[in-house]
Amino acid sequence: MSYEPTFTPPSGPIIGRRDGRVIRATGIPYATAARFQPPSPAPDRATPLLATSPAPACPQAPVPFLDEVLGTRYGELPGSEDCQNLSITMPADIDPAEKLPVMVWIHGGSYTTGSGDLAIFDSAALAAENRVVVVSVTYRLGLFGFLSTRTGRPGNLGLLDQLEAFRWVQRNISAFGGDPHRVTAFGQSAGGDAIAHLMAVPEAPTLFQRAIIQSAPLGISRGRATMNHAMGIAAESVTEETPAMDVVEIEERVTQVARKFGMRAAMPFGTQYGHHPLPAEAGIEAAWNHTAPGIQVLMGHTSQEARLFLPRNRFLSALERVPVLGKTALRAINWVVTETVYGRASRKFARRHSAAGGTAHHYVLDWHAPGNIYGSAHTIDLPLLFGTKDTWDGVGLIAGATWDEVDAAGQQVRALWAQFAGGAAGSDLGDSGGIPGVLKYRVA
């Protein structure tokens, strides 16, 4: 591969690489921070940065279940606490005079796993097919990024990392052919939850003008203070000197503390109200209302979110085998969990956003591989947006579908997301619409 593409953003010269239909510039530092400290912008450089290696992942524990379902591989990226990096993917034939829509990806993973440069998040098809610039952000997770303590350790450090990434984009993306006035934040699961909460920051409309919020667990984002306090006490043994992988091991013990707090413990780490940059919980809706007129929203969920998690439950697996009533009961449980954690809260968020002077569309995604045990489960949108046949070959989530079937649906989803982001077709989605057999949306 040639290292010839050179960019000269204000942050300093960057050398990327050509990769088939796209140009990539990867592993670019956007911020720096000591452990448990807020981030500062990465210093500008006078010497060129060779941006050809992926961004490292925040240290994290393996999740064998997700490796099986999504095809990830624990350790596929190096781990480092200095993980505040972003990667840029753009069409290979971009013209220097072009200013393309920018889509900034915030990955999910319950705020404890994942990384922007995982293979399952490869945005080459999205960028090349739709002429958009895609920025993938890696940020601090778990105990490194999302838990305050009584001793004054701040919460929301990972959220502050994300804000620094958006500020970097505003300052530098023009050099990569991106339009800083057409920036869309998009993220799935915890990534969608993070974007929703970034929208509570007064600065948000100056950083991104559109938001795509996919399967955000907003139904369990409130009433977490007591749980987080108990977790913080359990985490106080971690110091600035504790080895990174020991921190990850302690994180698992901290997670155990949350289990007595019911459904909220399904995602124990996360944003904390009353900790910078978020207001107290009582003020969150007013904060959202303040920024609503400046941000267009497309948000929704899959029709069977809970089916990703139900097969792991021994009781529910046994229930499914009960003749006649078993499958009916399982469908009811899936509906209740999907509605409680994702559906009801996302519709409420969209309606409130519209009432506050913003525009919002709400979607439900129903695509699934024929006969697949997971159905239209949580994360089923990922293979429709990212990756390649090699990435997803043999993965449990889409077993039963050919790659041609997945890609045919995926091309349409990618086109819709890019249209909303301000592509050639414009961002106006009308009152309602959809993709037959894949998803439906309507204005909130």
Side-chain angles (χ1 to χ4, degrees), residues 52-381:
T52 58
S53 298
C58 182
Q60 56 195 265
V63 187
F65 166 70
L66 290 181
D67 287 352
E68 175 188 340
V69 175
L70 297 178
T72 49
R73 302 187 315 277
Y74 180 69
E76 71 176 83
L77 296 173
S80 173
E81 288 189 61
D82 297 321
C83 62
Q84 293 101 330
N85 291 259
L86 55 80
S87 295
I88 303 171
T89 306
M90 69 207 83
D93 60 348
I94 191 168
D95 187 281
E98 280 189 283
K99 286 292 176 278
L100 301 180
V102 181
M103 301 182 70
V104 180
W105 171 250
I106 306 295
H107 72 82
S110 297
Y111 292 110
T112 57
T113 66
S115 184
D117 281 354
L118 289 177
I120 63 167
F121 300 140
D122 183 358
S123 56
L126 176 61
E129 291 170 3
N130 298 284
R131 302 201 65 74
V132 295
V133 176
V134 183
V135 181
S136 302
V137 178
T138 299
Y139 54 95
R140 284 177 286 181
L141 302 168
L143 287 179
F144 300 102
F146 284 98
L147 187 66
S148 65
T149 67
R150 295 181 304 174
T151 53
R153 190 182 305 161
N156 296 331
L157 292 173
L159 204 65
L160 294 175
D161 289 349
Q162 294 167 15
L163 282 172
E164 287 297 337
F166 279 100
R167 292 172 185 140
W168 191 98
V169 167
Q170 282 297 313
R171 181 174 181 235
N172 295 285
I173 204 63
S174 291
F176 300 87
D179 184 350
H181 302 296
R182 284 191 294 169
V183 176
T184 297
F186 74 127
Q188 185 267 348
S189 194
D193 181 82
I195 290 168
H197 286 93
L198 288 174
M199 288 172 58
V201 179
E203 182 186 5
T206 69
L207 299 177
F208 54 91
Q209 296 72 47
R210 300 177 179 91
I212 303 175
I213 301 171
Q214 303 168 213
S215 300
L218 295 172
I220 56 173
S221 67
R222 306 288 186 94
R224 300 167 64 89
T226 302
M227 179 180 73
N228 288 151
H229 178 73
M231 292 170 63
I233 293 173
E236 285 180 351
S237 62
V238 177
T239 70
E240 287 78 1
E241 288 75 37
T242 305
M245 292 314 294
D246 289 354
V247 177
V248 172
E249 185 177 333
I250 294 168
E251 186 177 294
E252 176 57 30
R253 299 204 294 268
V254 173
T255 299
Q256 299 293 331
V257 172
R259 292 198 170 172
K260 65 181 179 181
F261 291 92
M263 195 171 287
R264 294 179 184 87
M267 189 179 72
F269 289 91
T271 52
Q272 291 185 256
Y273 298 120
H275 295 263
H276 184 67
L278 297 182
E281 186 165 342
I284 186 64
E285 297 213 357
W288 278 327
N289 290 343
H290 177 74
T291 64
I295 303 174
Q296 298 179 44
V297 170
L298 171 63
M299 68 187 304
H301 57 91
T302 73
S303 62
Q304 299 173 311
E305 295 276 359
R307 284 189 66 166
L308 181 68
F309 314 105
L310 297 185
R312 299 176 65 197
N313 185 296
R314 292 180 180 178
F315 168 76
L316 295 176
S317 295
L319 178 62
E320 187 177 26
R321 293 191 293 270
V322 175
V324 184
L325 294 180
K327 291 187 182 298
T328 301
L330 207 61
R331 283 195 296 270
I333 293 169
N334 171 71
W335 183 85
V336 168
V337 175
T338 297
E339 271 293 285
T340 301
V341 179
Y342 305 96
R344 189 181 306 121
S346 69
R347 293 192 300 272
K348 180 180 178 183
F349 188 102
R351 289 194 300 266
R352 179 208 46 75
H353 188 81
S354 292
T359 61
H361 288 80
H362 189 271
Y363 73 84
V364 176
L365 191 153
D366 195 43
W367 185 88
H368 60 277
N372 191 289
I373 186 175
Y374 296 109
S376 303
H378 191 69
T379 70
I380 195 65
D381 42 354

Side-chain angles (χ1 to χ4, degrees), residues 44-62:
D44 293 346
R45 303 171 319 280
T47 56
L49 171 70
L50 186 60
T52 58
S53 298
C58 182
Q60 56 195 265

